[in-house]
Amino acid sequence: MPAPVTVLSSLRHPILLACQLPPAQRAAAEQRQWAAAQDNAPQIRLVAGPGTGKSKTIEKRVAHVLNTGATPQHVYVISFTVASSKELRERIAAFCASQPCAAAAAAIHVSTMHSLALRILRTANLLAVLYPHNPVVLDDWERRNIYDLELANALGRTPGRAAEIRLAHDAAWQTLNPQFINQAAITQPEIQGFNAFHPTRTNLYSCVLPGELVFRCVEAIRLGQIQQAQLPNIEHLIVDEFQDLNACDQEFVSQLAANGAVLFIAGDDDQSIYSFRHADPSGIVNFNVRYPHSTTHVLDECFRCTPNVLVPASAMITANPGRLAKNIISLYQNAAPPVMGRTLVWSFPTEQDEAAAVAESCQRLINSGMGGREDEIVILISDSGLQLGTIAQALGNLGLPYDPPRGAALTDDDGIRAVYCMLRIAKDLATAQPDYVAHRALLGLLNGVGMTTAKGIADACVGHQQNFHDLFRLPAPPHWLTARQSGAVGRIIAIANAVAGWQMADTLANRGADIAQQLANVFNGAQGQAKLAPWNALIATLPAGMTLEELLSFFGADTDADRRVILDLVNQRIGAAPAPAAPPPKRLRILTMHGAKGLSGKVVFIPSVEQGIMPSFRAIHAAGLLIEHRRLFYVSATRAMAACIISHSAQHTGASAFRLRQQPRVMLPRSQFLNEMGVASVNRGNGLTAAEANQIIADIANL
């Protein structure tokens, strides 16, 4: 039992003592976590509502199996994303540090589904059958600017139509449903054209599409190309966020566990929000049917949300059919002192009034005690294009710094993408790890080289049995290329030769001029010079002592916040900035509802909760999507700990109105989800008052 802690005086609030969670309930909740972690059934399902300790139970599960004799190298943990895998690995290591298994924990495997599938295919020597080198997964830019453009050219379709065809096939892989592709919108000639294009192109560029790796692995097992004996020796398989797995992922897990591995899965069907990735929550709902000898544990004591946040959200989610029944309670209700929290629903005349009130409320909270803790205030939006501009302007009017949601990648800019490609080619040369896609991407970026020329070079490689990567290692372009093609290949050969001497430990001080020279070779001519401006602006902000390896990591970071962390570490390493005595300044967080999964905030604002936005007009006309939007709203509301402030506005005008209905003025009622929550709207003209902010601060201090 932790001792009460004193609230810092910087909160500008009378000194309070943090509440004591009810000892008996807390002990019972932790015992339920341990009961699940120590279960010896062949398959275990953990159903864990928001804030009930799912990750903590996974940590305990790993510690238990290691402490009871499991071979560390035979313990596999799968998480949904690279970021969540990294976080889970760190959490497991921290928890096990005080356990007998502390040393053993470092040897377990924690990875994503995709990376494990890639490893299995590589170990079974199947990648060499399909690809000239270990394939890379095409990123968003590469899918749009390479794959879709070439597929469109091959099929005589527009790039947009090519993307639809690609996504239809990706869906067929992820759903394990060959008929999924045979929707009316995709014609038989398009299917045949894709099937002719895809194997040759992915072999030529040694690449795969996102949904393909796990499918290839499952297909190989089904066809007998991979025997059970060739699969990893897994004693314990632990799968996080099972509700987010698609049918192919679920079959992959089943195949991995078929050799006698003990299977432990964790998740919550109410938090399945990735239908666009074909997530199938029926996998966790019907887990006991697929695995009839499995046991189920349910965690229903919430350590995160206060009662007045949790109860309305729970009431709303019960409207979804076919869900696993749960009775989640907040441990704060019986705390000493009790912390009830609040869910507020505000109504405004216009979206501008609403955004101004959200910004004013953030400022009031900061001034009332959350200064230095701004990142504990979260604004969740369902439609960045519709909402972000108005909210960002309102925050900017008050001078409030914020982290925006992840938007376009830094490397979506052509000039910066060219630098990214050159660094990847330099690393290719330094490590002898061929990067086919970087060469193709840079080829398409050359000023004066269009898609027709780039694709013509690729087609010529196929026709003349030429390895695409090796084409750029030849002393000179081969005779079978046209003059235009030969000129383009020659330019890439020259760039590759120029970067051949670069080392990843080189700094921008050493290589900045060289990068500028090679960029000039990519974007030669007057029109191409404009593409250098974003890189020139960026490099002016980067430390001269930053290495090329660090710059690669910087380009690969997902968010501005991640990039700032990298820059801080670089500055500390080179001594440009001392290690900070205090954490860097905090900023408000604006996140998309999907991007908030797994996170929390002391105060959460959810604006634009109107019928037509949340749920969207499209969801209103599709029952399955409406169910998912309800889950998305449930996930969003349960990110809040002390206060969830939901708002809606009656009138939308200008760009947002045209985005909604192609009309200059749109009137929307409050969302049906608010009706299901049973919380009445209150008409507001402003944000939080000083008294309201102080009440929230008091609740936060008592958490």
Side-chain angles (χ1 to χ4, degrees):
M1 174 65 66
V5 296
T6 302
V7 178
L8 298 178
S9 59
S10 63
L11 289 179
R12 300 180 187 177
H13 193 277
I15 294 178
L16 298 170
L17 295 180
C19 71
Q20 292 279 0
L21 293 178
Q25 283 186 279
R26 179 171 188 142
E30 292 176 348
Q31 180 54 41
R32 269 186 274 277
Q33 294 173 7
W34 274 113
Q38 295 171 338
D39 195 328
N40 292 321
Q43 299 93 26
I44 303 103
R45 172 177 62 176
L46 177 69
V47 180
T52 58
K54 173 174 63 67
S55 297
K56 182 62 70 176
T57 307
I58 291 175
E59 298 163 22
K60 293 174 178 176
R61 177 67 179 179
V62 172
H64 168 69
V65 300
L66 292 177
N67 287 336
T68 53
T71 305
Q73 294 83 356
H74 300 165
V75 176
Y76 283 70
V77 183
I78 295 175
S79 193
F80 194 58
T81 66
V82 173
S84 63
S85 294
K86 179 176 181 291
E87 180 186 6
L88 191 54
R89 182 184 298 109
E90 292 170 349
R91 290 188 59 149
I92 290 170
F95 182 82
C96 291
S98 60
Q99 296 279 325
C101 62
I108 69 169
H109 300 271
V110 184
S111 70
T112 64
M113 198 86 63
H114 288 89
S115 62
L116 182 55
L118 181 62
R119 176 187 169 188
I120 292 171
L121 290 168
R122 186 185 299 122
T123 301
N125 203 31
L126 290 179
L127 293 178
V129 176
L130 297 173
Y131 310 100
H133 190 70
N134 288 337
V136 299
V137 179
L138 294 177
D139 66 25
D140 290 342
W141 187 94
E142 292 158 351
R143 292 196 294 274
R144 292 193 308 269
N145 292 280
I146 300 175
Y147 192 98
D148 290 348
L149 292 183
E150 290 200 18
L151 178 61
N153 181 273
L155 301 185
R157 301 292 193 270
T158 65
R161 180 59 177 170
E164 292 175 348
I165 296 168
R166 166 176 57 80
L167 289 170
H169 284 79
D170 206 50
W173 294 329
Q174 296 187 58
T175 60
L176 288 182
N177 180 8
Q179 301 306 313
F180 193 95
I181 194 172
N182 294 327
Q183 51 192 305
I186 308 298
T187 67
Q188 192 61 35
E190 287 171 335
I191 294 172
Q192 294 170 346
F194 178 90
N195 290 337
F197 172 87
H198 180 75
T200 299
R201 239 13 170 225
T202 53
N203 173 276
L204 184 70
Y205 298 144
S206 201
C207 64
V208 294
L209 294 175
E212 192 174 359
L213 271 177
V214 177
F215 173 76
R216 294 297 175 208
C217 204
V218 168
E219 184 182 49
I221 296 171
R222 284 180 166 182
L223 295 176
Q225 291 177 292
I226 299 177
Q227 302 295 326
Q228 284 292 333
Q230 293 177 297
L231 292 172
N233 186 351
I234 303 178
E235 294 176 17
H236 291 272
L237 179 61
I238 300 167
V239 185
D240 192 15
E241 303 288 11
F242 199 81
Q243 78 280 351
D244 291 329
L245 272 57
N246 57 47
C248 185
D249 296 333
Q250 293 170 28
E251 178 62 22
F252 183 53
V253 168
S254 178
Q255 295 286 358
L256 291 178
N259 242 10
V262 177
L263 176 60
F264 182 100
I265 66 104
D268 177 12
D269 56 303
D270 288 335
Q271 299 186 68
S272 179
I273 59 173
Y274 295 121
S275 66
F276 60 91
R277 298 175 183 166
H278 310 289
D280 182 6
S282 69
I284 192 169
V285 172
N286 298 320
F287 184 84
N288 60 327
V289 177
R290 184 166 192 169
Y291 301 96
H293 300 294
S294 65
T295 58
T296 294
H297 298 262
V298 179
L299 302 182
D300 50 18
E301 292 95 347
C302 180
F303 291 82
R304 179 195 301 149
C305 305
T306 45
N308 288 335
V309 171
L310 183 63
V311 171
S314 297
M316 182 263 302
I317 198 62
T318 59
N320 271 357
R323 57 185 289 273
L324 294 170
K326 307 170 193 73
N327 182 30
I328 305 174
I329 61 171
S330 170
L331 291 181
Y332 290 106
Q333 182 167 350
N334 297 319
V339 185
M340 300 305 293
R342 65 206 67 235
T343 292
L344 306 174
V345 179
W346 291 346
S347 174
F348 295 92
T350 72
E351 60 188 315
Q352 289 78 19
D353 295 326
E354 179 184 24
V358 170
E360 180 184 343
S361 298
C362 292
Q363 186 179 57
R364 182 80 72 179
L365 288 167
I366 293 167
N367 292 340
S368 297
M370 295 193 74
R373 304 167 66 187
E374 288 84 353
D375 61 332
E376 296 178 3
I377 302 173
V378 178
I379 302 170
L380 298 183
I381 57 178
S382 58
D383 186 329
S384 292
L386 186 69
Q387 299 174 266
L388 182 57
T390 305
I391 292 172
Q393 181 177 348
L395 294 173
N397 289 342
L398 298 180
L400 298 174
Y402 63 90
D403 281 327
R406 180 183 178 184
L410 183 66
T411 50
D412 279 3
D413 173 81
D414 282 357
I416 294 174
R417 172 65 62 160
V419 178
Y420 186 39
C421 290
M422 288 190 290
L423 293 177
R424 288 167 60 181
I425 291 172
K427 188 164 186 176
D428 165 340
L429 292 163
T431 62
Q433 296 294 316
D435 190 331
Y436 286 61
V437 175
H439 289 78
R440 170 58 183 86
L442 192 60
L443 180 67
L445 288 168
L446 292 175
N447 192 47
V449 175
M451 198 283 303
T452 300
T453 300
K455 181 175 179 294
I457 292 168
D459 291 339
C461 284
V462 174
H464 290 83
Q465 298 82 48
Q466 171 67 53
N467 176 279
F468 183 77
H469 178 269
D470 292 349
L471 174 68
F472 305 103
R473 299 294 180 268
L474 299 175
H479 65 87
W480 37 263
L481 294 174
T482 67
R484 180 178 290 275
Q485 293 169 352
S486 182
V489 170
R491 290 169 67 184
I492 299 296
I493 290 174
I495 292 171
N497 288 337
V499 306
W502 297 5
Q503 299 298 317
M504 291 295 100
D506 292 346
T507 65
L508 285 178
N510 303 137
R511 294 298 178 188
D514 295 331
I515 291 173
Q517 178 58 55
Q518 296 312 313
L519 274 179
N521 293 337
V522 173
F523 301 115
N524 56 18
Q527 292 182 341
Q529 293 305 305
K531 294 190 175 182
L532 302 181
W535 165 249
N536 290 334
L538 176 62
I539 195 173
T541 68
L542 299 176
M546 188 179 208
T547 67
L548 300 187
E549 187 71 57
E550 289 166 337
L551 183 56
L552 266 176
S553 298
F554 182 81
F555 285 152
D558 286 339
T559 65
D560 288 340
D562 291 338
R563 284 188 280 272
R564 281 201 304 274
V565 169
I566 292 171
L567 288 177
D568 288 343
L569 292 173
V570 171
N571 282 323
Q572 291 175 36
R573 178 184 60 77
I574 64 179
K586 304 294 187 181
R587 299 154 70 95
L588 301 168
R589 290 184 291 169
I590 304 178
L591 300 169
T592 64
M593 289 182 167
H594 284 100
K597 182 74 173 292
L599 302 176
S600 65
K602 295 295 194 305
V603 183
V604 171
F605 292 89
I606 311 179
S608 299
V609 184
E610 295 129 27
Q611 200 74 356
I613 297 178
M614 176 47 60
S616 67
F617 284 119
R618 180 167 172 256
I620 293 169
H621 294 94
L625 190 56
L626 181 65
I627 289 169
E628 167 140 325
H629 273 214
R630 187 177 285 110
R631 290 196 295 254
L632 182 60
F633 189 65
Y634 174 73
V635 167
S636 300
T638 55
R639 299 310 92 192
M641 298 180 70
C644 181
I645 302 176
I646 304 167
S647 57
H648 58 94
S649 59
Q651 178 177 284
H652 291 259
T653 56
S656 65
F658 276 96
R659 183 181 175 91
L660 284 166
R661 285 298 203 192
Q662 290 75 54
Q663 297 174 6
R665 179 172 175 267
V666 174
M667 304 294 290
L668 297 177
R670 83 178 204 149
S671 169
Q672 69 184 80
F673 297 156
L674 300 179
N675 300 335
E676 293 163 2
M677 292 177 79
V679 181
S681 297
V682 175
N683 294 329
R684 300 283 294 213
N686 300 99
L688 290 168
T689 65
E692 290 170 330
N694 283 335
Q695 290 170 354
I696 292 174
I697 296 298
D699 281 347
I700 292 172
N702 275 325
L703 289 177

